[in-house]
């Protein structure tokens, strides 16, 4: 089996992967209450928002044990962890946060209680989170016994003018396994943006005023 990670346009090369597995939570803030058969019962609508760089993963606290691997491109990237309470009728509530942690710090906290605090009042506790956190260093052109990452660099994707607002994704197949990457949005052509165009025109006018020509 294999997984496809978000498509990256350009030439950044991952230096490793951070694997996180939320294992259990304790003493989370009270969730929403709903009526069931005339009685009030609490529903767990909490979810964790875990991020490394621009990659974000949502993991429900009612379905712990799932694993997510984040590609790491820079040793200065950090692990961000936030607790949210989903609300179907209004904006979700940001009920807890911890960190952020540098990756070497995060690995040392694997299996240890992470004390969540209320984002609006850092003195107010918001429960504890236990996670398994592992870091795997990348070695180019070498296959690991426990699995490997095969990366294909997508330097450019040329689309017709009629598809300038299209969304793109990568489809990959290894033997009988097939996967589709998350959808990526092409970078905008800044030369066509009105704000940028006006600045560029002003720069060209100033250069011409000083006797410079293209």
């Amino acid at each position: 089996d294999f997984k496809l990670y978000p498509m990256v346009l350009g030439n950044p090369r991952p230096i490793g992967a951070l694997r996180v597995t939320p294992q259990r939570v304790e003493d989370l803030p009270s969730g929403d209450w709903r009526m069931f058969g005339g009685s009030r019962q609490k529903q767990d609508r909490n979810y964790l928002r875990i991020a490394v760089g621009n990659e974000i993963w949502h993991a429900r606290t009612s379905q712990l044990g799932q694993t997510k691997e984040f590609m790491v491109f820079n040793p200065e990237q950090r692990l961000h962890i936030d607790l949210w309470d989903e609300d179907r009728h209004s904006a979700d509530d940001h009920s807890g946060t911890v960190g952020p942690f540098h990756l070497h710090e995060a690995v040392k906290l694997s299996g240890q209680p992470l004390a969540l605090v209320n984002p609006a009042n850092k003195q107010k506790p918001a429960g504890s989170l236990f996670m398994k956190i592992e870091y795997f260093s990348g070695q180019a052109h070498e296959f690991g016994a426990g699995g490997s990452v095969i990366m294909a660099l997508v330097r450019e994707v040329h689309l017709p003018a009629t598809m300038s607002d299209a969304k793109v994704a990568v489809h990959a197949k290894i033997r009988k396994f097939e996967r589709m990457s998350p959808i990526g949005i092409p970078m905008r052509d800044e030369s066509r943006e009105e704000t940028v165009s006006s600045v560029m025109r002003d720069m060209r006018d100033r250069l011409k005023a000083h006797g410079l020509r293209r």
Side-chain angles (χ1 to χ4, degrees):
D1 197 2
F2 72 98
K3 298 179 181 179
L4 265 184
Y5 295 93
M7 183 174 62
V8 177
L9 295 177
N11 59 355
R13 296 178 180 273
I15 60 174
L18 186 75
R19 177 183 292 168
V20 299
T21 306
Q23 296 177 314
R24 79 175 191 270
V25 291
E26 296 178 353
D27 303 321
L28 297 185
S30 298
D32 297 329
W33 292 84
R34 296 289 185 271
M35 295 298 295
F36 293 95
S39 62
R40 295 175 74 242
Q41 298 181 19
K42 187 170 71 172
Q43 285 186 319
D44 184 1
R45 297 192 182 279
N46 292 309
Y47 65 89
L48 297 167
R49 182 186 186 276
I50 303 175
V52 175
N54 295 327
E55 192 173 357
I56 300 171
W57 179 47
H58 289 175
R60 291 196 172 278
T61 57
S62 59
Q63 300 173 351
L64 298 175
Q66 300 181 21
T67 295
K68 167 69 175 177
E69 289 92 5
F70 292 90
M71 291 294 98
V72 177
F73 297 92
N74 188 314
E76 294 302 314
Q77 286 183 287
R78 298 186 182 189
L79 174 65
H80 298 257
I81 305 171
D82 293 277
L83 176 69
W84 289 79
D85 181 13
E86 183 182 45
D87 195 319
R88 293 182 177 180
H89 305 291
S90 62
D92 294 353
D93 299 319
H94 189 190
S95 53
T97 186
V98 62
F101 303 106
H102 282 100
L103 303 186
H104 67 275
E105 296 175 320
V107 173
K108 293 179 181 179
L109 294 172
S110 180
Q112 302 297 317
L114 302 178
L116 297 159
V117 295
N118 188 301
N121 181 3
K122 297 298 179 65
Q123 302 302 316
K124 184 177 180 180
S128 299
L129 168 66
F130 294 79
M131 299 178 63
K132 183 178 181 180
I133 306 173
E134 305 166 276
Y135 179 76
F136 302 91
S137 297
Q139 300 293 328
H141 311 299
E142 293 184 12
F143 290 97
S148 300
V149 174
I150 300 175
M151 183 180 66
L153 294 179
V154 181
R155 299 190 182 278
E156 294 183 8
V157 175
H158 295 275
L159 298 175
T162 55
M163 298 177 61
S164 59
D165 295 328
K167 297 181 179 180
V168 294
V170 170
H171 175 266
K173 181 177 181 180
I174 300 178
R175 295 182 179 175
K176 64 179 181 179
F177 301 104
E178 296 186 52
R179 293 291 185 273
M180 183 73 72
S181 75
I183 295 175
I185 301 175
M187 296 177 62
R188 296 179 301 179
D189 184 352
E190 294 185 350
S191 65
R192 297 182 181 180
E193 297 292 332
E194 184 58 33
T195 303
V196 176
S197 297
S198 62
V199 174
M200 295 297 293
R201 285 195 298 270
D202 180 67
M203 291 177 61
R204 284 194 293 267
D205 292 341
R206 290 174 181 270
L207 291 173
K208 289 180 181 179
H210 286 80
L212 298 175
R213 295 291 185 270
R214 185 175 178 178

